[in-house]
């Protein structure tokens, strides 16, 4: 073997690849956290602007919401790019995806960044932007679906993995909750797009039905951890389907929580 193709060189290259994937993932996590923080600051600024407007005073808060919203969008876009880089790098030479959580974590983080961007677009309240919000939510749902189908996630599924697996029933349920939330958001945004006469990828009821499936599987995976919340969200999705006159899965529940849905935040 040549010097560049020696076992030592291959080990060094694999270690460098793993380190690069970890670095990209850590950067992405930091950017995602910063995006979440800016989103919360934007929401707080919006409340202050509304309070000042009702009081008829100028408290120097004008424009703060837009400022934090733009920063949140910027950080979430950068987070998505870093998660993508971590995902590509985690499939590099010398890394065995079935024994490494890197790809799974990168996909779930990428999904969270996309879903939060979609929620911000949706919360802006512009019917013309509903289709964009739905597209971002659907892109997020695809990332969560892919995460659950990574070799690592399948290898450590509840029926296959040991109780100490790093991707146990609780982790699987959390990813399913995030997946269901992304689909729920896609349903909400698609519903608004339909009402605005915009073209949509599929009926809103399709996404609500898929969200119900995800929440129901999450309930079975971790009934104590997220069962109550999953059941509440599944019932809300059923209500939304009835509101649209598209039918549901049985008669409406009298104790179901009212719509609109609570603000989206990733389960974990």
């Amino acid at each position: 073997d040549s010097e560049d193709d020696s076992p030592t060189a291959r080990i060094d290259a694999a270690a460098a690849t793993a380190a690069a994937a970890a670095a990209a993932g850590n950067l992405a996590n930091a950017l995602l956290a910063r995006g979440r923080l800016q989103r919360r600051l934007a929401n707080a600024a919006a409340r202050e602007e509304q309070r000042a407007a009702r009081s008829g005073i100028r408290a120097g808060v004008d424009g703060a919401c837009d400022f934090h919203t733009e920063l949140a969008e910027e950080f979430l876009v950068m987070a998505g790019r870093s998660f993508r880089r971590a995902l590509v790098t985690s499939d590099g030479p010398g890394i065995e995806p079935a024994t490494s959580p890197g790809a799974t974590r990168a996909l779930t983080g990428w999904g969270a960044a996309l879903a939060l961007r979609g929620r911000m677009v949706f919360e802006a309240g512009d019917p013309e932007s509903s289709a964009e919000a739905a597209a971002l939510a659907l892109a997020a749902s695809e990332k969560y679906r892919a995460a659950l189908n990574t070799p690592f996630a399948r290898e450590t599924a509840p029926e296959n993995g040991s109780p100490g697996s790093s991707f146990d029933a609780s982790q699987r349920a959390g990813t399913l909750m995030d997946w269901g939330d992304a689909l729920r958001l896609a349903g909400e945004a698609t519903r608004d797009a339909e009402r605005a006469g915009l073209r949509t990828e599929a009926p809103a009821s399709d996404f609500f039905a898929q969200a119900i499936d995800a929440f129901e599987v999450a309930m079975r995976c971790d009934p104590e951890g997220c069962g109550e919340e999953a059941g509440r969200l599944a019932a809300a999705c059923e209500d939304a389907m009835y509101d649209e006159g598209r039918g549901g899965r049985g008669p409406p529940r009298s104790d179901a929580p009212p719509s609109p849905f609570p603000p989206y935040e990733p389960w974990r």
Side-chain angles (χ1 to χ4, degrees):
D1 290 342
S2 65
E3 182 179 351
D4 290 340
D5 195 37
S6 66
T8 300
R10 289 195 296 270
I11 292 172
D12 289 345
T17 301
N26 289 335
L27 174 60
N29 286 329
L31 291 167
L32 177 58
R34 187 67 182 272
R36 286 172 173 160
L37 174 60
Q38 292 297 331
R39 176 175 177 260
R40 294 188 183 106
L41 291 173
N43 290 339
R47 290 192 295 270
E48 287 300 316
E49 289 178 7
Q50 292 170 0
R51 187 177 297 112
R54 287 195 300 268
S55 302
I57 61 175
R58 293 291 180 182
V61 296
D62 290 350
C65 178
D66 290 341
F67 172 75
H68 290 298
T69 297
E70 290 176 6
L71 281 179
E73 171 72 11
E74 181 180 345
F75 283 120
L76 291 173
V77 169
M78 290 192 296
R81 290 171 180 168
S82 292
F83 279 123
R84 182 180 183 278
R85 189 158 52 248
L87 177 64
V88 172
T89 310
S90 69
D91 289 331
I95 299 179
E96 175 49 57
T99 61
S100 170
T104 310
R105 291 175 179 169
L107 284 164
T108 55
W110 194 358
L114 286 165
L116 285 170
R117 287 176 59 199
R119 174 56 68 178
M120 289 175 61
V121 172
F122 181 71
E123 287 176 346
D126 179 10
E128 296 297 320
S129 299
S130 297
E132 178 187 353
L136 286 166
L138 288 174
S141 73
E142 279 301 300
K143 300 301 179 288
Y144 290 126
R145 180 196 61 76
L148 289 166
N149 284 302
T150 55
F152 171 75
R154 292 198 306 270
E155 286 282 324
T156 58
E159 62 272 14
N160 298 326
S162 64
S165 295
S166 55
F167 197 80
D168 56 15
S170 176
Q171 284 285 89
R172 181 170 294 275
T175 305
L176 285 160
M177 289 292 288
D178 288 343
W179 188 9
D181 259 330
L183 289 165
R184 181 191 68 167
L185 172 57
E188 293 180 83
T190 298
R191 179 186 57 195
D192 282 10
E194 290 173 341
R195 291 172 177 172
L198 302 176
R199 183 176 180 180
T200 60
E201 183 171 326
S205 58
D206 287 2
F207 303 128
F208 286 128
Q210 293 172 44
I212 291 171
D213 290 339
F215 290 134
E216 288 178 345
V217 177
M219 279 190 283
R220 292 195 294 271
C221 284
D222 188 16
E224 294 184 2
C226 66
E228 182 177 353
E229 177 72 357
R232 186 178 69 82
L233 292 174
C237 287
E238 289 191 354
D239 280 357
M241 293 171 70
Y242 275 104
D243 288 344
E244 290 299 302
R246 299 182 184 276
R249 302 185 179 190
R253 290 163 46 99
S254 59
D255 60 342
S259 294
F261 296 111
Y264 173 83
E265 284 288 352
W267 179 251
R268 287 179 304 283

mmCIF file of all heavy atoms in Angstrom, residues 134 138 180 183-184 186-187 190 201-212 237:
data_model
loop_
_atom_site.group_PDB
_atom_site.id
_atom_site.type_symbol
_atom_site.label_atom_id
_atom_site.label_comp_id
_atom_site.label_asym_id
_atom_site.label_seq_id
_atom_site.Cartn_x
_atom_site.Cartn_y
_atom_site.Cartn_z
ATOM 1 N N ALA A 134 -46.806 26.029 4.074
ATOM 2 C CA ALA A 134 -47.115 24.612 3.892
ATOM 3 C C ALA A 134 -45.931 23.873 3.278
ATOM 4 O O ALA A 134 -45.619 22.742 3.682
ATOM 5 C CB ALA A 134 -48.351 24.453 3.016
ATOM 6 N N LEU A 138 -43.986 20.776 4.987
ATOM 7 C CA LEU A 138 -43.875 19.472 4.332
ATOM 8 C C LEU A 138 -42.413 19.058 4.187
ATOM 9 O O LEU A 138 -42.082 17.878 4.323
ATOM 10 C CB LEU A 138 -44.554 19.513 2.967
ATOM 11 C CG LEU A 138 -46.086 19.557 3.002
ATOM 12 C CD1 LEU A 138 -46.646 19.732 1.600
ATOM 13 C CD2 LEU A 138 -46.644 18.291 3.643
ATOM 14 N N GLY A 180 -45.564 14.765 13.536
ATOM 15 C CA GLY A 180 -46.985 15.090 13.564
ATOM 16 C C GLY A 180 -47.226 16.582 13.600
ATOM 17 O O GLY A 180 -48.135 17.105 12.935
ATOM 18 N N LEU A 183 -46.723 18.022 10.144
ATOM 19 C CA LEU A 183 -47.868 17.703 9.288
ATOM 20 C C LEU A 183 -49.094 18.519 9.680
ATOM 21 O O LEU A 183 -49.871 18.949 8.826
ATOM 22 C CB LEU A 183 -48.177 16.211 9.388
ATOM 23 C CG LEU A 183 -47.164 15.282 8.716
ATOM 24 C CD1 LEU A 183 -47.362 13.844 9.181
ATOM 25 C CD2 LEU A 183 -47.293 15.373 7.198
ATOM 26 N N ARG A 184 -49.260 18.734 10.979
ATOM 27 C CA ARG A 184 -50.352 19.563 11.470
ATOM 28 C C ARG A 184 -50.217 20.983 10.927
ATOM 29 O O ARG A 184 -51.185 21.589 10.465
ATOM 30 C CB ARG A 184 -50.323 19.575 12.997
ATOM 31 C CG ARG A 184 -51.421 20.379 13.646
ATOM 32 C CD ARG A 184 -51.158 20.562 15.128
ATOM 33 N NE ARG A 184 -49.994 21.412 15.361
ATOM 34 C CZ ARG A 184 -49.693 21.939 16.546
ATOM 35 N NH1 ARG A 184 -50.439 21.651 17.597
ATOM 36 N NH2 ARG A 184 -48.652 22.709 16.691
ATOM 37 N N ALA A 186 -48.618 21.817 8.211
ATOM 38 C CA ALA A 186 -48.899 21.739 6.773
ATOM 39 C C ALA A 186 -50.402 21.773 6.532
ATOM 40 O O ALA A 186 -50.881 22.412 5.576
ATOM 41 C CB ALA A 186 -48.287 20.469 6.183
ATOM 42 N N GLY A 187 -51.159 21.089 7.386
ATOM 43 C CA GLY A 187 -52.616 21.111 7.258
ATOM 44 C C GLY A 187 -53.198 22.486 7.497
ATOM 45 O O GLY A 187 -54.061 22.955 6.738
ATOM 46 N N THR A 190 -52.163 24.791 4.571
ATOM 47 C CA THR A 190 -52.871 24.401 3.347
ATOM 48 C C THR A 190 -54.326 24.809 3.406
ATOM 49 O O THR A 190 -54.907 25.268 2.411
ATOM 50 C CB THR A 190 -52.748 22.886 3.127
ATOM 51 O OG1 THR A 190 -51.373 22.540 2.967
ATOM 52 C CG2 THR A 190 -53.525 22.447 1.899
ATOM 53 N N GLU A 201 -50.609 21.441 -2.732
ATOM 54 C CA GLU A 201 -50.083 20.137 -3.148
ATOM 55 C C GLU A 201 -51.095 19.028 -2.941
ATOM 56 O O GLU A 201 -51.161 18.067 -3.710
ATOM 57 C CB GLU A 201 -48.809 19.834 -2.366
ATOM 58 C CG GLU A 201 -48.126 18.542 -2.772
ATOM 59 C CD GLU A 201 -46.761 18.391 -2.136
ATOM 60 O OE1 GLU A 201 -46.079 19.414 -1.947
ATOM 61 O OE2 GLU A 201 -46.393 17.254 -1.840
ATOM 62 N N ALA A 202 -51.889 19.121 -1.878
ATOM 63 C CA ALA A 202 -52.900 18.115 -1.545
ATOM 64 C C ALA A 202 -53.915 18.770 -0.626
ATOM 65 O O ALA A 202 -53.659 19.852 -0.079
ATOM 66 C CB ALA A 202 -52.249 16.906 -0.866
ATOM 67 N N PRO A 203 -55.082 18.156 -0.424
ATOM 68 C CA PRO A 203 -56.063 18.737 0.493
ATOM 69 C C PRO A 203 -55.525 18.803 1.918
ATOM 70 O O PRO A 203 -54.750 17.945 2.344
ATOM 71 C CB PRO A 203 -57.249 17.766 0.400
ATOM 72 C CG PRO A 203 -57.062 17.052 -0.889
ATOM 73 C CD PRO A 203 -55.582 16.949 -1.094
ATOM 74 N N ALA A 204 -55.965 19.804 2.656
ATOM 75 C CA ALA A 204 -55.531 19.956 4.042
ATOM 76 C C ALA A 204 -55.870 18.721 4.859
ATOM 77 O O ALA A 204 -55.109 18.326 5.747
ATOM 78 C CB ALA A 204 -56.177 21.196 4.648
ATOM 79 N N SER A 205 -57.013 18.095 4.557
ATOM 80 C CA SER A 205 -57.433 16.928 5.334
ATOM 81 C C SER A 205 -56.426 15.787 5.231
ATOM 82 O O SER A 205 -56.272 15.003 6.180
ATOM 83 C CB SER A 205 -58.806 16.441 4.863
ATOM 84 O OG SER A 205 -58.763 16.129 3.477
ATOM 85 N N ASP A 206 -55.708 15.685 4.098
ATOM 86 C CA ASP A 206 -54.705 14.630 3.950
ATOM 87 C C ASP A 206 -53.602 14.795 4.994
ATOM 88 O O ASP A 206 -53.147 13.815 5.604
ATOM 89 C CB ASP A 206 -54.089 14.661 2.552
ATOM 90 C CG ASP A 206 -55.031 14.146 1.481
ATOM 91 O OD1 ASP A 206 -56.192 13.805 1.820
ATOM 92 O OD2 ASP A 206 -54.632 14.107 0.308
ATOM 93 N N PHE A 207 -53.175 16.034 5.208
ATOM 94 C CA PHE A 207 -52.083 16.273 6.153
ATOM 95 C C PHE A 207 -52.556 16.109 7.599
ATOM 96 O O PHE A 207 -51.813 15.605 8.437
ATOM 97 C CB PHE A 207 -51.496 17.663 5.926
ATOM 98 C CG PHE A 207 -51.010 17.873 4.521
ATOM 99 C CD1 PHE A 207 -51.410 18.971 3.775
ATOM 100 C CD2 PHE A 207 -50.151 16.951 3.917
ATOM 101 C CE1 PHE A 207 -50.974 19.154 2.477
ATOM 102 C CE2 PHE A 207 -49.696 17.124 2.619
ATOM 103 C CZ PHE A 207 -50.115 18.228 1.898
ATOM 104 N N PHE A 208 -53.790 16.535 7.874
ATOM 105 C CA PHE A 208 -54.319 16.320 9.219
ATOM 106 C C PHE A 208 -54.421 14.818 9.522
ATOM 107 O O PHE A 208 -54.124 14.374 10.634
ATOM 108 C CB PHE A 208 -55.686 16.983 9.369
ATOM 109 C CG PHE A 208 -55.642 18.481 9.474
ATOM 110 C CD1 PHE A 208 -56.422 19.274 8.645
ATOM 111 C CD2 PHE A 208 -54.818 19.106 10.404
ATOM 112 C CE1 PHE A 208 -56.386 20.661 8.745
ATOM 113 C CE2 PHE A 208 -54.775 20.490 10.508
ATOM 114 C CZ PHE A 208 -55.567 21.268 9.676
ATOM 115 N N ALA A 209 -54.850 14.034 8.532
ATOM 116 C CA ALA A 209 -54.970 12.588 8.732
ATOM 117 C C ALA A 209 -53.603 11.954 8.979
ATOM 118 O O ALA A 209 -53.456 11.078 9.844
ATOM 119 C CB ALA A 209 -55.641 11.945 7.518
ATOM 120 N N GLN A 210 -52.585 12.382 8.222
ATOM 121 C CA GLN A 210 -51.235 11.855 8.437
ATOM 122 C C GLN A 210 -50.699 12.260 9.804
ATOM 123 O O GLN A 210 -50.001 11.481 10.466
ATOM 124 C CB GLN A 210 -50.307 12.373 7.342
ATOM 125 C CG GLN A 210 -50.610 11.837 5.950
ATOM 126 C CD GLN A 210 -49.786 12.522 4.884
ATOM 127 O OE1 GLN A 210 -48.592 12.743 5.036
ATOM 128 N NE2 GLN A 210 -50.424 12.888 3.786
ATOM 129 N N ALA A 211 -51.032 13.479 10.246
ATOM 130 C CA ALA A 211 -50.606 13.923 11.575
ATOM 131 C C ALA A 211 -51.235 13.050 12.657
ATOM 132 O O ALA A 211 -50.568 12.667 13.628
ATOM 133 C CB ALA A 211 -50.983 15.384 11.784
ATOM 134 N N ILE A 212 -52.506 12.722 12.493
ATOM 135 C CA ILE A 212 -53.180 11.848 13.460
ATOM 136 C C ILE A 212 -52.455 10.513 13.555
ATOM 137 O O ILE A 212 -52.217 9.992 14.655
ATOM 138 C CB ILE A 212 -54.653 11.637 13.055
ATOM 139 C CG1 ILE A 212 -55.443 12.937 13.229
ATOM 140 C CG2 ILE A 212 -55.291 10.522 13.889
ATOM 141 C CD1 ILE A 212 -56.841 12.883 12.654
ATOM 142 N N CYS A 237 -56.652 17.665 15.484
ATOM 143 C CA CYS A 237 -56.594 17.428 14.033
ATOM 144 C C CYS A 237 -57.921 16.880 13.524
ATOM 145 O O CYS A 237 -58.379 17.244 12.426
ATOM 146 C CB CYS A 237 -55.457 16.461 13.702
ATOM 147 S SG CYS A 237 -53.803 17.170 13.857
#
